[in-house]
Amino acid sequence: DQQVKQNSPSLSVQEGRISILNCDYTNSMFDYFLWYKKYPAEGPTFLISISSIKDKNEDGRFTVFLNKSAKHLSLHIVPSQPGDSAVYFCAASEGNFGNEKLTFGTGTRLTIIP
Amino acid sequence: SQTIHQWPATLVQPVGSPLSLECTVEGTSNPNLYWYRQAAGRGLQLLFYSVGIGQISSEVPQNLSASRPQDRQFILSSKKLLLSDSGFYLCAWSVYWTGPKGTEAFFGQGTRLTVV
């Protein structure tokens, strides 16, 4: 049972345009959502997060939007740069100290076309 | 500062052979530790997590086992590897923030395991 889903395995975007990566979840107990970026043969690194009490969080070129009623979140990258080419994972946790597992989605491979 | 070490970086093993992957964390005490596997088309799958020495929770039934003999050491093992065990294995530790992140996980560099 995949509790966090990323339905687009890949996405190609022209450099300078906006990249939009989507994520859906089924567990209504999730309170925190994170995006991780992963380059080949490396571990994922944290990118940006949002808690369920917010609907938007912005950090430079990266913005995460959360629609809790739809159980959907998205990551916007604008403007997209070649260095953004990587696999992006959406992750979620229930946010309770002592129940701290992160559940990851299947990932979306983003390719920025110069 | 905290660091996480995972080795080896790559491993090629024959079917039926044993496996031992090791992970150690420095700069923190009593961390929550995790083993994830990235397999083609399946994202990051949580295999095991541990909240303390000797405490292991298994998330999926599989051919693998995990042990935590010391506070900052986490080992992934198998007695007999299967072809389907091939994948990219990642060790991680986590910290819980009371701010907007909740749980944040920090990953090792990963081990590429190929079972032949």
Side-chain angles (χ1 to χ4, degrees), chain A residues 2 32-34 36 38 41-44 46 49-51 87 89 93 95-97 99-107, chain B residues 32 34 36 38 41-44 46 49 59 88 90 94 96-109:
Chain A
Q2 192 75 30
Y32 292 91
F33 304 90
L34 300 85
Y36 278 77
K38 183 183 182 300
E42 294 184 7
F46 170 76
S49 65
I50 190 167
S51 73
V87 176
F89 290 99
S93 73
N96 300 316
F97 183 75
N99 185 16
E100 301 162 13
K101 295 179 294 179
L102 273 175
T103 301
F104 284 83
T106 50
Chain B
N32 286 354
Y34 308 83
Y36 284 89
Q38 183 186 12
R42 299 187 64 181
L44 282 177
L46 178 62
Y49 74 97
E59 289 295 294
F88 190 60
L90 289 153
S94 71
Y96 176 76
W97 306 100
T98 54
K101 286 184 187 177
T103 295
E104 182 179 0
F106 300 88
F107 287 85
Q109 289 298 294

Side-chain angles (χ1 to χ4, degrees), chain A residues 35-102:
Chain A
W35 285 94
Y36 278 77
K37 179 180 180 180
K38 183 183 182 300
Y39 293 116
E42 294 184 7
T45 54
F46 170 76
L47 190 59
I48 192 170
S49 65
I50 190 167
S51 73
S52 59
I53 62 173
K54 304 259 186 188
D55 55 17
K56 177 182 174 181
N57 187 29
E58 192 172 354
D59 183 2
R61 297 186 297 114
F62 303 93
T63 303
V64 57
F65 296 92
L66 174 63
N67 183 333
K68 202 172 177 184
S69 60
K71 294 190 177 69
H72 176 83
L73 63 153
S74 60
L75 173 67
H76 293 210
I77 306 173
V78 57
S80 300
Q81 300 174 352
D84 296 330
S85 294
V87 176
Y88 290 78
F89 290 99
C90 171
S93 73
E94 294 185 22
N96 300 316
F97 183 75
N99 185 16
E100 301 162 13
K101 295 179 294 179
L102 273 175

